[in-house]
């Protein structure tokens, strides 16, 4: 059984249908990438999986580790081990990064019936993860994402992923706003999290990130449907040829449907 | 009143004459360029030079510019010797591209390290040889309606820098554009026009540096740069103004940012008599990020005006403005920070901070934050400080054995160097740091002497 | 409608948790205001002549104000006209116990405190907090007098101070807020019923945090508190003021005056948690809170610090201020103001820099929910002689929902060029995206809302004494209860 199984998923927001029948299956240990032009529904798919309620599910089914993902609240999905690295991480002024991370870890532990960890036990692990991402320890005492640069925010997302150790991590455009050096550091952090118990779904517009996080599978999402799947070479091909050909193909098949 | 109007309009005749000369002689200019110039000139003629009654110019009087009969610098003057430029080169740059009174002078520059496909050169050449690359960008971003100097620059588009960085290119070394105002025996004006086009997913640093060679009659450098940054690209731009203290410099940087593009504009204003630095980014694509970082150091009777206009036109964009000013003598500084958040630009995060140090009782700063918000889910912060050197800190340092002059310099440098922390580490940052050290040498000196004089009646 | 949005809406629709009425016998004056009433109040309290004279002067001045401009009109608040003749200006519980211990307190009052979550009986043992409980207009209980007396600290009801320390009262009363100050302060000067008096002598650090919990209980009874705190040279005192009030249909007027005086090297820390009845969901009822609070830093290196958490009242009109006269004196203002339903708050501070090297800090956090209207109004004035003065102002607004409003009016007046001024302001909205972010990390919706609000207020909570910080957080958490998980 796959870790994540998406069957004919349809979703809409404000009356516009964005996902028009997505099918996808991921197994533990795999890295998949979803690529596509702007507005194709990549971020919507990521947010629907994380159970954002602004999207209305009109059809389809999603199983996450055998459970009906679409019946879960966002915090329940998180506690089940689904992590979303946000495209636009949110600022929480006045709440330190360290406190926030510990609250999240404890919320998840509580859900699983485990004991909460205190600040003293938590810190060593946090420090170790910081090193992995080449992040300054000072970031722990700063308010969550407040006055962080775009690059720092993205790194902070990966830090959270490294601390929360999800079964499925979805990275939504984690490469935006990063210069080449920061991109390498983030990729290195993600690669360190690759494991047989974990699946990673990388959502991106550009192939560049996939030079550093090499996926097992690449899927192309156009106009709310996956129109092609293949290996890493598909990403390279898209980089050279662009999305235009696939978009026009999708448009003609869409009108035929 | 009537007489005043007459004297104010009189010098415009010079511009009209120059304009006819340019449009008439340059018969090879393509139609789109002639049209741009024409529109620019019409707009400028309608509007004239701004006055203090104009809200955007409330603190800066350009009468000295309006009343001077500036003439375009004639073609084919004598070039300076390469050795004259030695002091201005940046060793670690990808190369120097030198412009004398706004015209590209390839013989004075050098190219050291430029990745394949990157073009750096003369706008005039590109217009002549490859107009198709220019037309979609030139004049498309700069707002000639709002700013008469931009209109004036557009009327006189002739030469300047053209840079094209293709998709997916990472430039490790900065591109250094060196603009030199030379001395003439009559008041002279030049209007460098630069166009920088960066494709998607690229990375680059560009330095514009403005300097003077020799001393003569008044010089006005009215420069404008259009910088178009493609989706997902990371660009740093530096504006360094260090012309001689009699020079007039008006500069405008208009930035057009694509989706998730990350642009930093750094300005260092240290030279010039009357300087106006306009920075106008438009965050046109979702998720863009923009940093506007500046330092202005004024002394004697310098007038340094920083006009920032940040336009948020798309959701989820962040902008940061940090401007520090140090003013001594009778210097007058202006910080005009305006943030416009358009209706569709939800989740905007805009921050603006202007900090100023006044080293004398006669130095002056006018700081004016302005927020115009039409979206309802945004975060905007602005802050301004005006202060003096911290006497407690000064005393503390002296009590630890540091001589007053050094202590003062140390504190000034600490204040000035805040802008360095916001630059990516590299040759451009190192160069600016060095310039700040030099400039503070003068400023600190002036304030010390002045304080000394004040204490001896 | 998503549950995130529901959580926000529910937060905006919290009911007042503390509403109840204590039935108790009263001794009250007839409604209306005239010279006879003033004389009656003064006589009831057996006041010396100077007090009666002062009250009468204030009353005559108020009459002229009432005839001309009336109440101040500049604030961003709206309410129907107040009929000052329909108010009773004096009421006191008929049983007036003279207490040696808390056991002697009316059991009804004790129960009231218990409902409020203020176990007065335990405070003496546990909290180390002396309580001067003002029940309606008359003080009925004071504790820890012995311990304070040992240190030489005078902490008593205002009426008592008039009897026992008339010289101190005469010297300082009205010296910071003169009876001519403003309409409501003038009214208070004429009719004030009671309040607290504190004098900390030279060099004494007050060993306890002084605390008053007071409540408005009787319907249609104006409440006119008067507080006077004097910290002599080198003295230190921390004073806590907190209150909750029962639900009543009629709007009730509250016009208190607080005067603080700090001499050389003295420090006064004044903290308030205000949770009076804000009116119901439709804006009916609730307290009108028109307060004049001002401190004078008279001495060198003196310091006055105001911290307030304002969650109650239908209308709040309040500007705790500092007059910084002494060189190197320091004024601080930390405020959280929450408006919900149809509440209106126009609050802020005034920092008047007169002495050299005076410093002030202003941190204001406004939270608006429901149809709440929250206005920050702050003035920083640097006078000609205030060389080297500094001010830092931070002013943030948080909006919950889209029916509420936040307004900021900073006034800055600088007459000395050496001033250093710093001002920061922001407006943000608790949004669906913030909640979603926290929930995606595993937090429940109500914990997420509470985390965001507490983070927003942190800078102010940090300034509150420990017990009060806990209470303030509790107050916000209570109003967050019931958010959808």
């Amino acid at each position: 059984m796959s870790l994540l199984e998406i069957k004919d998923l349809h979703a809409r927001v404000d009356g516009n249908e964005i996902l028009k029948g997505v099918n996808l299956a991921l197994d533990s240990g795999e890295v998949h990438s979803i690529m596509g032009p702007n507005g194709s529904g990549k971020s919507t798919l990521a947010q629907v999986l994380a159970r954002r309620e602004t999207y209305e599910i009109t059809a389809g089914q999603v199983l996450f580790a055998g459970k009906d993902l679409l019946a879960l609240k966002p915090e329940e999905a998180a506690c089940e081990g689904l992590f979303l690295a946000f495209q636009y991480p949110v600022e929480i002024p006045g709440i330190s990064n360290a406190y926030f991370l510990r609250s999240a870890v404890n919320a998840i532990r509580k859900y699983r019936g485990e004991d909460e960890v205190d600040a003293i036990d938590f810190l060593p692990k946090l420090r170790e993860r910081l090193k992995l991402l080449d992040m300054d320890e000072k970031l722990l005492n700063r308010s969550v994402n407040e006055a962080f640069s775009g690059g720092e925010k993205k790194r902070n997302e990966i830090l959270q992923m490294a601390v929360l150790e999800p079964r499925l991590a979805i990275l939504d455009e984690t490469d935006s706003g990063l210069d080449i050096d920061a991109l390498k550091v983030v990729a290195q952090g993600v690669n360190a999290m690759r494991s047989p118990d974990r699946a990673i779904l990388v959502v991106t517009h550009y192939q560049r990130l996939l030079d550093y996080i090499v996926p097992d599978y690449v899927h192309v999402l156009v106009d709310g449907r996956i129109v092609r799947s293949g290996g890493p070479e598909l990403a390279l091909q898209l980089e050279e040829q662009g999305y235009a050909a696939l978009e026009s193909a999708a448009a003609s098949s869409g009108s035929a449907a | 009143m009537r007489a005043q109007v007459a004297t104010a309009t009189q010098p415009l005749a010079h511009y009209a004459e120059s304009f006819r000369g340019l449009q008439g002689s340059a018969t090879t200019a393509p139609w789109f360029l002639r049209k741009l110039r024409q529109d620019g000139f019409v707009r400028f003629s309608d509007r004239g030079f701004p006055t203090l009654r104009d809200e955007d110019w409330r603190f800066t009087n350009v009468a000295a510019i309006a009343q001077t009969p500036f003439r375009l610098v004639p073609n084919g003057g004598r070039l300076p010797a390469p050795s004259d430029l030695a002091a201005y080169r940046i060793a670690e740059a990808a190369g120097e591209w030198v412009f004398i009174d706004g015209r590209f002078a390839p013989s004075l520059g050098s190219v050291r390290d430029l990745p394949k496909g990157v073009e750096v050169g003369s706008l005039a050449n590109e217009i002549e040889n490859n107009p198709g690359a220019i037309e979609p960008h030139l004049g498309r971003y700069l707002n000639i309606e709002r700013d008469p100097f931009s209109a004036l620059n557009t009327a006189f588009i002739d030469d300047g820098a053209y840079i094209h960085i293709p998709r997916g290119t990472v430039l490790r070394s900065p591109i250094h554009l060196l603009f030199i105002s030379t001395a003439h025996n009559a008041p002279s004006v030049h209007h460098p026009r630069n166009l920088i086009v960066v494709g998607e997913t690229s990375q680059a640093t560009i330095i514009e540096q403005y300097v003077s060679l020799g001393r003569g009659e008044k010089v006005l450098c009215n420069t404008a740069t259009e910088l178009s940054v493609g989706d997902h690209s990371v660009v740093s731009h530096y504006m360094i103004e260090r012309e001689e203290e009699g020079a007039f410099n008006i500069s405008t940087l208009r930035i057009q940012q694509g989706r998730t593009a990350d642009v930093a504009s750094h300005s260092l204003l240290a030279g010039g008599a009357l300087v106006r630095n306009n920075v106008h980014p438009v965050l046109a694509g979702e998720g863009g990020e923009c940093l506007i970082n500046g330092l202005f150091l004024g002394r004697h009777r310098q007038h340094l005006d920083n006009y920032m206009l940040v336009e948020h036109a798309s959701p989820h964009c962040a902008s940061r403005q940090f401007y520090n000013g140090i003013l001594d003598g009778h210097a007058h500084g202006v910080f005009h920070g305006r943030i416009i958040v358009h209706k569709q630009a939800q989740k905007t995060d805009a921050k603006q901070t202007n900090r100023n140090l006044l080293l004398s009782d006669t130095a002056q700063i006018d700081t004016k934050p302005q927020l115009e918000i039409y979206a309802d889910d945004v975060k905007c912060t602005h802050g301004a400080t005006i202060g003096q050197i911290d006497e407690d800190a000064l005393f503390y340092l002296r009590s630890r054995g540091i001589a007053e002059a050094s202590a003062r310099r140390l504190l000034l440098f600490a204040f000035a160097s805040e802008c360095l922390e916001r630059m990516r580490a590299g040759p451009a940052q190192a160069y600016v740091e060095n310039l700040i050290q030099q400039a503070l040498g003068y400023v600190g000196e002036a304030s010390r002497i002045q304080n000394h004089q004040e204490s001896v009646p | 409608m998503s549950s995130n949005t529901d959580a926000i809406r529910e937060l905006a629709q919290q009911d007042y948790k503390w509403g109840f009425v204590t039935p108790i016998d009263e001794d009250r004056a007839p409604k209306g205001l005239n010279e006879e009433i003033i004389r009656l109040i003064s006589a009831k309290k057996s006041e010396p002549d100077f007090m009666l004279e002062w009250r009468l002067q204030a009353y005559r001045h108020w009459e002229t104000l009432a005839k001309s401009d009336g109440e101040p009109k500049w604030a961003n608040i709206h309410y129907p006209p107040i009929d000052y003749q329909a108010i009773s200006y004096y009421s006191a519980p008929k049983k007036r116990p003279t207490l040696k211990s808390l056991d002697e307190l009316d059991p009804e009052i004790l129960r009231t405190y218990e409902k409020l979550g203020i176990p007065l009986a335990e405070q003496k043992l546990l909290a180390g907090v002396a309580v001067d409980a003002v029940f309606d207009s008359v003080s009925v209980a004071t504790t820890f007098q012995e311990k304070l007396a040992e240190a030489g600290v005078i902490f008593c009801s205002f009426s008592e101070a008039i009897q026992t320390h008339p010289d101190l009262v005469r010297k300082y009363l009205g010296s910071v807020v003169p009876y001519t100050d403003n309409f409501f302060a003038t009214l208070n000067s004429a009719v004030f019923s009671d309040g607290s008096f504190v004098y900390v002598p030279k060099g004494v650090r007050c060993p306890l945090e002084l605390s008053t919990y007071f409540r408005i209980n009787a319907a249609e009874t104006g409440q006119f508190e008067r507080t006077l705190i004097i910290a002599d040279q080198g003295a230190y005192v921390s004073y806590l003021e907190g209150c909750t009030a029962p639900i009543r249909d009629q709007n009730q007027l509250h016009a208190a005056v607080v005067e603080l005086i700090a001499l050389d090297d003295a420090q006064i820390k004044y903290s308030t948690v205000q949770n009076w009845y804000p009116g119901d969901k439709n804006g009916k009822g609730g307290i009108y809170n028109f307060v004049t609070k001002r401190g004078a830093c008279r001495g060198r290196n003196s310091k006055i610090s105001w911290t307030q958490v304002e969650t109650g009242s239908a209308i709040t009109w309040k500007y705790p201020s500092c007059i910084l006269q002494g060189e190197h004196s320091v004024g601080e203002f930390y405020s959280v103001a929450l408006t919900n339903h149809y509440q209106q708050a126009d609050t802020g501070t005034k920092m008047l820099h007169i002495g050299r090297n005076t410093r002030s800090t202003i941190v204001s956090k406004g939270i608006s929910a429901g149809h709440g209207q929250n206005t920050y109004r702050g003035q920083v004035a640097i006078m000609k002689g205030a060389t080297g003065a500094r001010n830092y102002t931070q002013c943030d607004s948080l909006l919950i929902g889209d029916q509420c409003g936040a307004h900021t009016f900073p006034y800055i007046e600088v007459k000395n060029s050496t001033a250093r001024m710093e001002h920061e302001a922001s407006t943000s909205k608790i949004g669906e995206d913030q909640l979603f972010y926290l929930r995606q990390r595993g937090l429940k919706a109500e914990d997420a809302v509470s985390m965001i609000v507490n983070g927003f207020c942190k800078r102010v909570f940090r300034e509150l004494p420990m017990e009060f910080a806990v209470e303030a957080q509790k107050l916000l958490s209570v109003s967050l209860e019931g958010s959808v998980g």
Side-chain angles (χ1 to χ4, degrees), chain C residues 7 21 95 140 199 202 278 304 336 348 400 413 431 436 474:
Chain C
V21 175
K95 294 184 220 163
V140 288
Y199 174 79
K202 269 184 200 175
I304 289 179
V336 168
I400 302 175
E413 191 186 319
F436 177 64
K474 209 171 84 184

Side-chain angles (χ1 to χ4, degrees), chain B residues 199-269:
Chain B
E200 290 176 37
T201 59
S202 292
Q203 193 175 322
T205 298
I206 294 131
I207 302 171
E208 286 182 34
Q209 180 168 218
Y210 292 81
V211 305
S212 305
L213 277 186
R215 277 200 173 226
E217 272 296 330
K218 285 177 186 166
V219 173
L220 167 61
C221 171
N222 174 32
T223 176
T225 300
E226 290 176 290
L227 167 59
S228 164
V229 180
D231 293 357
H232 227 60
S233 285
V234 180
V235 173
S236 296
H237 179 275
Y238 288 76
M239 158 73 193
I240 299 172
E241 161 59 10
R242 45 190 299 226
E243 288 172 298
E244 54 97 10
E245 276 184 44
F248 299 117
N249 184 295
I250 311 284
S251 65
T252 301
L253 171 64
R254 169 69 173 79
I255 306 167
Q256 183 78 2
Q257 288 186 230
R259 262 179 94 90
T260 66
D262 178 358
V263 179
S265 148
H266 305 285
S267 302
L268 172 65
L269 307 187

Side-chain angles (χ1 to χ4, degrees), chain C residues 347-410:
Chain C
T347 181
T349 185
K350 225 190 260 184
M351 294 289 173
L352 184 60
H353 291 254
I354 298 169
R356 294 169 70 90
N357 298 313
T358 44
R359 280 181 290 147
S360 61
T361 301
I362 299 171
V363 177
S364 164
K365 305 279 183 177
I367 303 169
S368 316
H371 291 82
Q373 294 294 327
N374 212 323
T375 300
Y376 166 80
R377 189 182 302 278
Q379 183 182 18
V380 179
I382 313 285
M383 298 290 112
K384 198 132 194 70
T387 302
R390 288 191 209 179
N391 165 264
Y392 170 78
T393 298
Q394 185 191 355
C395 188
D396 299 318
S397 306
L398 187 69
L399 304 174
I400 302 175
D402 49 14
Q403 303 293 312
C404 52
H407 317 274
T408 304
F409 300 107

Side-chain angles (χ1 to χ4, degrees), chain B residues 26-332:
Chain B
T27 44
T28 54
W31 186 83
F32 81 86
L33 177 60
R34 296 177 63 85
K35 172 84 167 71
L36 266 181
R37 286 175 179 162
Q38 183 69 32
D39 291 349
F41 194 75
V42 167
R43 180 63 194 148
F44 173 72
S45 305
D46 286 352
R47 180 85 199 266
F49 284 104
T51 69
L52 294 179
R53 283 187 300 274
D54 190 328
E55 193 57 32
D56 287 348
W57 294 86
R58 245 179 84 187
F59 305 112
T60 296
N61 188 342
V62 296
I65 291 176
Q67 285 158 17
T68 303
F70 287 110
R71 299 281 185 173
L72 281 181
V73 176
N75 241 325
R78 200 163 53 85
L79 289 181
S83 58
D84 292 342
L85 308 183
Y88 305 114
R89 297 195 193 274
I90 301 173
E92 298 83 359
E96 264 86 38
W97 287 263
V98 179
F99 298 81
I100 302 296
D101 295 324
R103 281 201 185 84
F104 187 44
S107 64
L108 292 173
S110 63
V111 183
R112 292 187 281 276
D113 165 31
L114 211 53
K116 261 194 187 148
V118 176
E119 294 168 67
V120 185
S122 148
L123 180 72
N125 285 347
E126 196 68 15
I127 290 172
E128 197 178 328
N129 302 319
N130 189 14
I134 302 299
E135 193 178 349
H137 296 288
L138 189 67
R140 299 293 157 137
Y141 311 115
L142 196 68
N143 187 340
I144 61 168
E145 293 303 312
R146 191 184 174 92
D147 179 24
F149 284 96
S150 293
L152 185 61
N153 177 287
T154 301
F156 289 96
I157 294 176
D158 189 7
D159 201 3
Y162 170 70
I163 299 177
H164 178 242
I165 295 166
R167 184 175 203 267
T169 310
V170 174
L171 257 86
R172 289 281 175 183
S173 312
I175 291 172
H176 179 199
L177 308 176
L178 181 57
F179 295 88
I180 294 171
S181 300
T182 63
H184 299 272
N185 47 25
S188 64
V189 59
H190 54 283
H191 306 277
R193 178 65 169 237
N194 309 310
L195 176 62
I196 305 170
V197 180
V198 181
E200 290 176 37
T201 59
S202 292
Q203 193 175 322
T205 298
I206 294 131
I207 302 171
E208 286 182 34
Q209 180 168 218
Y210 292 81
V211 305
S212 305
L213 277 186
R215 277 200 173 226
E217 272 296 330
K218 285 177 186 166
V219 173
L220 167 61
C221 171
N222 174 32
T223 176
T225 300
E226 290 176 290
L227 167 59
S228 164
V229 180
D231 293 357
H232 227 60
S233 285
V234 180
V235 173
S236 296
H237 179 275
Y238 288 76
M239 158 73 193
I240 299 172
E241 161 59 10
R242 45 190 299 226
E243 288 172 298
E244 54 97 10
E245 276 184 44
F248 299 117
N249 184 295
I250 311 284
S251 65
T252 301
L253 171 64
R254 169 69 173 79
I255 306 167
Q256 183 78 2
Q257 288 186 230
R259 262 179 94 90
T260 66
D262 178 358
V263 179
S265 148
H266 305 285
S267 302
L268 172 65
L269 307 187
L274 192 167
V275 176
R276 162 87 160 201
N277 176 222
N278 302 295
V279 180
H280 180 187
V282 176
L283 293 141
E286 190 176 310
E289 198 168 330
C290 178
L291 166 71
I292 299 183
N293 179 33
L295 175 68
F296 51 102
L297 304 168
R299 56 177 179 153
H300 303 149
R301 293 193 173 272
Q302 280 182 285
H303 183 103
L304 307 177
D305 179 348
N306 306 274
Y307 187 96
M308 307 297 121
L309 170 57
V310 177
E311 259 185 82
H312 282 263
S314 270
H316 286 291
C317 292
S319 66
R320 300 274 175 272
Q321 296 177 58
F322 297 99
Y323 257 72
N324 282 16
I326 300 178
L327 299 166
D328 200 355
H330 288 78
H332 185 177

Side-chain angles (χ1 to χ4, degrees), chain A residues 38-39 87-88 91 93 146-151 153 173 175-181 184 204-206 208 239-240, chain B residues 167-168 170 172 200-203 231-232 234 259-262 286-289 315-318 320 349 351 379 424:
Chain A
N38 295 325
Q87 183 182 8
Y88 303 116
E91 295 181 8
E146 195 184 34
F148 282 34
S149 70
K153 282 182 184 170
E173 307 246 357
D175 50 337
S176 62
L178 297 180
D179 67 20
I180 198 78
D181 301 313
K184 284 179 187 167
T204 181
H205 182 90
Y206 294 102
R208 193 177 67 157
E239 176 69 11
E240 279 170 24
Chain B
R167 184 175 203 267
V170 174
R172 289 281 175 183
E200 290 176 37
T201 59
S202 292
Q203 193 175 322
D231 293 357
H232 227 60
V234 180
R259 262 179 94 90
T260 66
D262 178 358
E286 190 176 310
E289 198 168 330
H316 286 291
C317 292
R320 300 274 175 272
D349 182 358
K351 190 177 161 93
K379 189 175 162 191
R424 278 169 213 273

Side-chain angles (χ1 to χ4, degrees), chain A:
Chain A
M1 188 192 66
S2 298
L3 176 66
L4 181 75
E5 226 176 318
I6 306 173
K7 289 178 196 157
D8 192 34
L9 183 63
H10 289 249
R12 66 180 179 195
V13 65
D14 300 332
N16 298 320
E17 185 160 52
I18 314 262
L19 300 182
K20 302 174 179 175
V22 175
N23 291 287
L24 186 66
L26 261 81
D27 281 322
S28 289
E30 292 176 349
V31 174
H32 290 234
S33 173
I34 291 193
M35 298 185 69
N38 295 325
S40 60
K42 303 187 300 287
S43 283
T44 300
L45 178 62
Q47 302 211 26
V48 163
L49 292 177
R51 301 300 308 115
R52 188 162 200 163
E53 289 148 334
T54 38
Y55 298 96
E56 188 192 344
I57 311 293
T58 48
Q61 194 190 18
V62 181
L63 292 176
F64 178 51
K67 284 193 177 152
D68 177 6
L69 181 65
L70 301 179
L72 301 180
K73 292 176 188 165
E75 56 269 36
E76 290 166 345
C79 292
E80 289 290 338
L82 187 148
F83 178 90
L84 172 64
F86 281 56
Q87 183 182 8
Y88 303 116
V90 173
E91 295 181 8
I92 317 288
I95 299 297
S96 78
N97 229 354
Y99 176 79
F100 168 63
L101 273 167
R102 193 159 58 83
S103 303
V105 165
N106 281 334
I108 293 171
R109 291 181 70 98
K110 212 171 142 189
Y111 179 87
R112 296 178 184 158
E114 296 164 359
D115 287 342
E116 299 192 0
V117 288
D118 63 24
I120 296 154
D121 293 336
F122 186 59
L123 204 56
K125 179 175 165 188
L126 203 47
R127 287 209 173 109
E128 175 207 316
R129 300 301 192 191
L130 276 171
K131 261 191 218 142
L132 177 73
L133 286 157
D134 194 23
M135 285 170 76
D136 195 325
E137 205 171 309
K138 281 183 207 143
L139 284 178
L140 290 181
N141 297 323
R142 279 168 54 187
S143 293
V144 181
N145 294 327
E146 195 184 34
F148 282 34
S149 70
E152 280 173 331
K153 282 182 184 170
K154 294 301 169 79
R155 262 187 234 203
N156 202 26
E157 292 295 290
I158 303 304
L159 171 71
Q160 292 173 22
M161 173 180 104
V163 170
L164 297 176
E165 299 177 332
R167 284 197 279 182
L168 171 64
I170 303 169
L171 313 183
D172 189 4
E173 307 246 357
T174 297
D175 50 337
S176 62
L178 297 180
D179 67 20
I180 198 78
D181 301 313
L183 186 75
K184 284 179 187 167
V185 172
V186 164
Q188 180 193 317
V190 174
N191 286 331
M193 293 296 291
R194 288 178 93 145
S195 116
D197 313 322
R198 181 173 295 123
I200 300 175
L201 183 59
V202 181
V203 175
T204 181
H205 182 90
Y206 294 102
Q207 178 270 340
R208 193 177 67 157
L209 178 66
L210 305 183
D211 283 343
Y212 303 98
I213 305 173
V214 180
D216 300 306
Y217 301 96
V218 173
H219 311 278
V220 185
L221 189 70
V222 173
D223 193 28
R225 284 190 199 91
I226 290 178
V227 295
R228 257 175 96 176
S229 295
E233 71 288 347
L234 179 56
L236 287 167
Q237 191 190 328
L238 282 170
E239 176 69 11
E240 279 170 24
Q241 297 169 358
Y243 291 109
L246 287 170
E247 278 178 288
S248 54
S252 56
S253 77
S255 59

